[in-house]
Amino acid sequence: MAEIVVLGAGLGGTIMAYELADRLGQNHNISVVNQGSKYQFVPSNPWVAVGWRTEEATSVDLVPVFAKRGITLHSQGARRLDPVAKQIELMDGGTVRYDYLVIATGPELAFDEIEGFGPEGNTQSVCHVSHALQAKEAFDRLLANPGPVVIGAVQGASCFGPAYEFTFILDKALRDAKVRDRVPMTFVTSEPYIGHLGLDGVGDTKGLLESELRQHHIKWICNAKLDRAEADKLHVTELAEDGSVKKTHEIPQSFTMMLPAFRGVEAVRGIEGLTNPRGFILVDKHQRNPTFPEVFSVGVCVAIPPMGPTPVPVGVPKTGFMIESMVTATTHNIARLIEGQEPNAEGTWNAVCLADFGDGGVAFVAQPQIPPRNVNWSSSGKWVHAAKIGFEKYFLHKVRTGKAESFYEKLALHVLGIQKLKEISVDPE
């Protein structure tokens, strides 16, 4: 009987545990190590930050669900992984051993790399529900005393979609409150151009998003590096294409939400052979670490090199369908190892994204996520907002009921008119 441990219970980790339970049944032990016992649907956080959702509506208590599925939950959280001893030290001093480990921790948020940046400084975040709740308090203050707003993503960021989402969601909330006319808005991003998204664009995301910004009277600055965040202004350096300083900006702000750069979590960061210098997990095409072959990884914590050089560092995002393909491939490969065979499944790493804009939105499909692509498509319309709401409800239902069915194939891909995307590619014997 094998001991399989999943480290992290976010989107990737929770679905990973469910898929392993489906594939392996009661013949093997499946455990999850997580900080706390709640799953929180991160894509809803921009709505939480303007009061359109509550924490309770977007969270799931995993204790009864895991118990129903026969999955053991260690909610103390991980202090440190020891891949040589094949065990995890827990925060309470206990240990969990494993035969196979799937690291699905998500990232650590690197707010401390910029002076005055983050929820403990002078800016807001929607990366965690606690941050979104704090942003809601700041939003309420903005409504009472309107002033300049800055939204965007800093140097090294790799997740740009939520920045665009929150820009237009906030715009809609301010219009609903009849104060938008007193709130100048600026989008500040490390991307080399609007709609780059860390992917060198998908379809016409550049044209679509520039048009949306213009129509909503939002100015923008690209190739931007945040130097310092003060209570009433941001210090930003705009770089030219050759990396030289093009212009420096002092941008007044009453409310700022900028997405941070990510790094690996402390429990795994700095383990030689396991992580890159930023603490992300090194994996091969089978999601398997080359140094520790019993360790796999899925999700945002996986190391993916950037698309190419840019004046300001820009990372590559890991979208939901891409993570789903990683999960399915990993489940398949662990099952083969248990059966005495070698891994042969690869995630296709296709990207499907629904970016909600409050009363509209932009959707894109990239197959594969890294160009050149077989499918390179984007579109916009009010249907995206409806599809995002449906996706939220459907996915939370799946988490609450302990099922691992492919939520994108059953909902988002159907809405987008895509017949079928292969979840994994299996090498011939």
Side-chain angles (χ1 to χ4, degrees):
M1 179 175 283
E3 298 284 344
I4 303 103
V5 175
V6 180
L7 181 56
L11 186 150
T14 301
I15 298 301
M16 187 80 243
Y18 294 165
E19 284 210 15
L20 287 167
D22 289 343
R23 179 68 181 262
L24 302 177
Q26 301 299 314
N27 298 322
H28 304 281
N29 293 327
I30 300 167
S31 302
V32 175
V33 177
N34 188 60
Q35 187 71 50
S37 60
K38 283 191 175 181
Y39 170 84
Q40 202 276 319
F41 189 64
V42 173
S44 294
N45 285 344
W47 293 336
V48 173
V50 295
W52 294 356
R53 293 292 188 279
T54 63
E55 179 180 4
E56 292 72 24
T58 60
S59 301
V60 178
D61 182 1
L62 294 174
V63 173
V65 189
F66 279 13
K68 176 183 173 183
R69 294 303 316 268
I71 300 166
T72 301
L73 176 62
H74 301 278
S75 59
Q76 306 96 315
R79 185 184 305 277
R80 191 66 174 171
L81 167 65
D82 185 344
V84 175
K86 298 183 183 179
Q87 66 181 28
I88 300 169
E89 179 188 357
L90 302 178
M91 295 300 290
D92 64 359
T95 58
V96 175
R97 64 163 300 275
Y98 61 83
D99 297 307
Y100 300 100
L101 172 67
V102 183
I103 301 174
T105 59
E108 182 175 283
L109 309 173
F111 294 115
D112 60 304
E113 294 179 343
I114 301 172
E115 182 182 346
F117 182 49
E120 295 184 1
N122 298 309
T123 67
Q124 306 300 323
S125 163
V126 294
C127 294
H128 189 276
V129 67
S130 63
H131 300 165
L133 291 170
Q134 180 175 321
K136 172 58 169 61
E137 295 177 0
F139 169 71
D140 290 340
R141 295 193 295 270
L142 179 67
L143 294 184
N145 187 22
V149 161
V150 180
I151 311 294
V154 305
Q155 56 270 26
S158 58
C159 186
F160 297 92
Y164 287 103
E165 282 193 302
F166 189 66
T167 298
F168 297 109
I169 287 170
L170 182 61
D171 171 87
K172 174 67 163 60
L174 292 170
R175 284 187 279 120
D176 289 347
K178 310 298 184 186
V179 297
R180 178 64 178 89
D181 59 317
R182 290 183 280 161
V183 180
M185 294 181 69
T186 307
F187 189 80
V188 177
T189 179
S190 53
E191 299 163 277
Y193 59 84
I194 292 298
H196 181 279
L197 301 170
L199 297 170
D200 200 13
V202 181
D204 190 30
T205 49
K206 182 179 188 292
L208 286 173
L209 290 170
E210 282 188 354
S211 177
E212 291 285 348
L213 290 171
R214 279 192 293 267
Q215 289 179 33
H216 290 81
H217 310 287
I218 299 167
K219 299 177 180 179
W220 66 82
I221 304 171
C222 295
N223 286 324
K225 183 170 74 75
L226 177 63
D227 300 313
R228 185 170 76 256
E230 297 180 1
D232 60 347
K233 62 186 172 184
L234 304 180
H235 296 265
V236 172
T237 298
E238 181 183 358
L239 300 186
E241 291 299 316
D242 62 0
S244 62
V245 175
K246 179 179 180 180
K247 189 176 181 181
T248 59
H249 302 263
E250 286 191 3
I251 308 173
Q253 66 105 353
S254 296
F255 179 105
T256 292
M257 197 297 292
M258 295 188 72
L259 300 175
F262 295 160
R263 61 187 173 219
V265 301
E266 189 174 352
V268 301
R269 199 165 62 239
I271 298 176
E272 186 174 354
L274 182 71
T275 66
N276 71 6
R278 288 289 292 182
F280 294 112
I281 309 300
L282 301 168
V283 297
D284 62 15
K285 64 182 181 178
H286 302 302
Q287 305 299 136
R288 192 183 193 187
N289 179 256
T291 303
F292 304 102
E294 60 284 331
V295 177
F296 292 76
S297 187
V298 302
V300 179
C301 59
V302 169
I304 300 178
M307 297 289 298
T310 52
V312 180
V314 169
V316 176
K318 291 94 170 180
T319 61
F321 187 82
M322 181 184 188
I323 295 171
E324 176 101 356
S325 76
M326 293 180 185
V327 166
T328 303
T330 300
T331 301
H332 180 96
N333 290 332
I334 289 176
R336 283 181 62 86
L337 286 171
I338 291 173
E339 295 164 359
Q341 304 177 76
E342 284 300 303
N344 68 347
E346 303 175 37
T348 53
W349 288 23
N350 294 321
V352 180
C353 182
L354 298 170
D356 172 59
F357 290 172
D359 53 3
V362 169
F364 67 78
V365 178
Q367 303 180 43
Q369 177 163 294
I370 309 300
R373 303 181 177 115
N374 296 314
V375 176
N376 189 45
W377 173 89
S378 60
S379 183
S380 63
K382 293 184 180 299
W383 64 269
V384 180
H385 175 65
K388 186 65 174 278
I389 293 173
F391 163 57
E392 175 200 47
K393 294 182 182 302
Y394 186 85
F395 183 69
L396 283 169
H397 172 73
K398 291 300 178 186
V399 175
R400 291 186 179 112
T401 54
K403 297 181 180 179
E405 296 175 20
S406 179
F407 48 91
Y408 271 112
E409 288 190 352
K410 287 185 175 295
L411 178 67
L413 296 184
H414 174 74
V415 172
L416 293 170
I418 300 171
Q419 296 301 314
K420 180 71 174 177
L421 287 179
K422 288 179 63 177
E423 290 183 333
I424 59 172
S425 172
V426 179
D427 299 332
E429 294 291 342

